[in-house]
Amino acid sequence: MQQTKYFIIDFDSTFTQVEALDVLAEIALKDNENQAKAIQEIKDITDQGMEGGMSFRESLKRRVKILQANKKHLPELVDRLSSLVSPSFKRNTEFIEKYKEQIFIVSNGFKDFIVPIVKKHGIKEEHVFANEFKYDNSENIVGFNEDNILSSNNGKPRQIENLKLNGEVFVLGDGYTDYEIKKAGLAHKFYAFTENVRREKILDEADHEAPSLDEFLFTQKLERAHSYPKNRIKALLLENIHEGAVNKLKQEGYQVEVHPAGMTEDELAEAIKDVSVLGIRSKTQVTEKVLKNAKRLLAVGAFCIGTNQIDLKAALHKGVAVFNAPFSNTRSVVELALAEIIMLMRNLPDKIMQMHQGKWNKSASGSFEIRGKTLGIIGYGKIGSQLSVLAESVGMNVQYFDLEEKLALGNANPCPTLEHLLQSSDVISVHVDGREENKWMIGSKEFDLMKDGVVFINLSRGHIVDIEALRKNIERGKIHGASVDVFPEEPLSNDHPFESPLMGLRNTILTPHVGGSTLEAQENIADFVPSKIIEYINTGSTTNSVNFPNITLPTLSQAHRFIHIHRNEPGILADINNILAKHGINIGGQYLKTNDTIGYVITDIDKNYQEDVIKDLKLVRGTIRFRVLY
């Protein structure tokens, strides 16, 4: 017969995010000129008591003495603490409601403010055990009831012993006094709660770390708001991804590991084994070998526009969704392209270098305005089309070539062939994607077709242009000026050397893949990509995924969501629904979308069902991945 479980929960820095006496000090001492010093002293004493460095009773006496508080301060304290209830407690109301007869708040804090707060969240008043303030005739707080067990050293174990709980006892708290219950042999397990404060000395004594109530409930297999604790989701971010992305993922509750450079295939294959979310930029290659080692990977975020560095087909077969930032750095790349067109037309790279060498070469030779010149844009996508608008606004004539039919913006003209564009443009700027078919798109043959004195710019992908052919055409004067931001081989980090045949050439701008590297662009990307990944993990929505069928899903409410990713084969949806029918499950909503490779089925059902249905759904033929969300 299964034993009854009892849950002993601390209040300060566990049920609430703060130590209540610290907040009370801020309220009571707000007009005191020594407020800051007194508050810090109280916090220091609190920490010593929590970590076992000072006896509890001594800690309590010293703090109450410094407080100089009055009963009139308590309503404001209750209001402030009510807004500071730990998020994981606020969302797990179902657990508190179901187990209210087995949940006890045992705190070294004070009933005077604890009871009004926890009662609002379903905790029974008679299940709150805490200290009590003593007041003088003017209602000043002058001490505490020293006869209360919890005011004494080792008070929590004595209080639990008095409760005579017949069953398994689990303690959730952040301080040494919580651990003392387990130390006294009165608890089955002690969980160190670290959602609000992390005390290493307490973690050393704990049976388990609980970064949230969700983690505690998950390990106990109890009702909870989240199907899977977010603290168990590990994110690995490479290549100096903007700190905004790091913070966003941490705020969601994920473990986040940051690596400043790219990784080789072997390095990443090793590092990715227990990673659920991978974030990269342009240097890291996510290959089939890497993905085979990714046992827990749910999503890859490309913190850039391109995704050719990711094997999208292998990711799809693995059930890994890929997201990028298709618009976030567009403006940055376009501004750089326009600036470089002007610089190269004016032959500024050479003049700038000569000035640094002490040479004054004031001459109009080889310098031209861009007004009236024809700009040929290869690739009329998000970047190419915006460059078209800006270039036209400064007086250039714009033409473009794209394999797909694209609506011209402004007065831009489509070219019937790439050859036509190459032969008739004064400036050529390449903005195509990294698909394999575009490899070596521009080589010796294409350079031969260009006008003499053309300006050539590549801000797209390194393997688009034959670098040796470009070098020869710069050296022989065919190309008036060139700018290259992307290269067939690029260093993994800023600490690795850069080499290129283009180094040292006249009127040539070489930049280290910084087309999208502006603070504005990186901030936008750092917000957009994590948002899409978080939305996918939380709801199953695949909006803006570059490899999954795109589905935008409603917010899940009072239901469980089954997410089934499978090979796109006939009859699988029928198999899924037959299993649901066999288990007597009514479908609240169902969504299906497919592409050539996979089917993506989302089914919302009532929360009450037998766990066997999950086992059956995982065994459906063609299953790649199955997840439950709630």
Side-chain angles (χ1 to χ4, degrees), residues 182-429:
K182 169 67 187 302
K183 185 179 180 182
L186 296 168
H188 182 67
K189 279 189 178 181
F190 166 56
Y191 286 75
F193 190 76
T194 57
E195 184 170 342
N196 306 309
V197 62
R198 186 181 181 87
R199 307 183 198 278
E200 295 300 332
K201 289 183 180 179
I202 308 308
L203 281 167
D204 290 342
E205 307 290 357
D207 296 296
H208 195 97
E209 179 182 354
S212 66
L213 182 58
D214 306 288
E215 171 70 16
F216 172 74
L217 299 177
F218 181 78
T219 62
Q220 292 293 318
K221 298 182 179 179
L222 299 171
E223 287 76 1
R224 55 194 179 274
H226 291 157
S227 48
Y228 192 73
K230 293 185 179 181
N231 58 273
R232 292 191 172 215
I233 296 176
K234 183 176 179 180
L236 174 62
L237 304 182
L238 309 181
E239 304 182 58
N240 275 328
I241 286 172
H242 191 276
E243 64 179 6
V246 178
N247 293 336
K248 189 153 193 167
L249 293 171
K250 283 184 176 179
Q251 287 166 8
E252 187 65 14
Y254 300 168
Q255 297 179 52
V256 182
E257 181 182 336
V258 177
H259 187 73
M263 286 187 177
T264 64
E265 183 180 51
D266 287 341
E267 289 172 338
L268 186 55
E270 180 62 29
I272 205 169
K273 287 180 180 178
D274 62 345
V275 169
S276 298
V277 175
L278 175 66
I280 62 167
R281 294 176 73 183
S282 56
K283 294 182 177 67
T284 303
Q285 302 295 311
V286 183
T287 63
E288 185 176 8
K289 175 182 175 179
V290 168
L291 290 163
K292 280 182 178 178
N293 272 26
K295 307 301 181 187
R296 303 181 66 178
L297 192 64
L298 295 173
V300 175
F303 285 72
C304 51
I305 292 178
T307 55
N308 60 294
Q309 71 276 41
I310 303 167
D311 188 330
L312 296 178
K313 185 176 180 182
L316 194 59
H317 283 293
K318 187 79 175 180
V320 175
V322 178
F323 299 88
N324 68 338
F327 306 101
S328 298
N329 65 4
T330 301
R331 177 73 184 199
S332 297
V333 177
V334 168
E335 287 186 4
L336 182 62
L338 190 59
E340 291 181 337
I341 290 169
I342 295 171
M343 290 185 71
L344 294 169
M345 289 291 284
R346 296 293 295 272
N347 198 27
L348 288 181
D350 288 353
K351 286 182 166 61
I352 291 168
M353 183 55 65
Q354 288 169 359
M355 289 293 286
H356 281 287
Q357 295 168 349
K359 298 177 183 178
W360 184 272
N361 182 15
K362 179 175 168 59
S363 168
S365 177
S367 296
F368 307 95
E369 292 184 351
I370 65 170
R371 180 177 55 176
K373 303 301 187 293
T374 298
L375 169 63
I377 299 173
I378 302 175
Y380 203 65
K382 300 173 184 70
I383 293 174
S385 57
Q386 191 170 143
L387 175 60
S388 165
V389 173
L390 290 191
E392 188 178 326
S393 72
V394 294
M396 298 191 81
N397 302 315
V398 179
Q399 58 184 12
Y400 65 89
F401 173 76
D402 198 291
L403 292 175
E404 298 177 12
E405 186 175 344
K406 297 286 180 70
L407 177 66
L409 300 181
N411 295 311
N413 293 306
C415 289
T417 63
L418 176 60
E419 288 74 14
H420 180 275
L421 181 142
L422 296 174
Q423 292 169 339
S424 56
S425 298
D426 301 306
V427 179
I428 295 172
S429 192

Side-chain angles (χ1 to χ4, degrees), residues 463-503:
H463 66 264
I464 303 299
V465 178
D466 183 334
I467 293 292
E468 281 295 335
L470 175 58
R471 178 186 63 81
K472 289 176 183 177
N473 281 278
I474 295 172
E475 288 177 336
R476 72 186 181 97
K478 173 81 173 183
I479 293 175
H480 174 68
S483 171
V484 180
D485 185 50
V486 288
F487 302 87
E489 294 182 5
E490 298 181 0
L492 283 174
S493 75
N494 293 343
D495 296 327
H496 292 77
F498 166 72
E499 295 180 0
S500 173
L502 303 177
M503 295 167 66

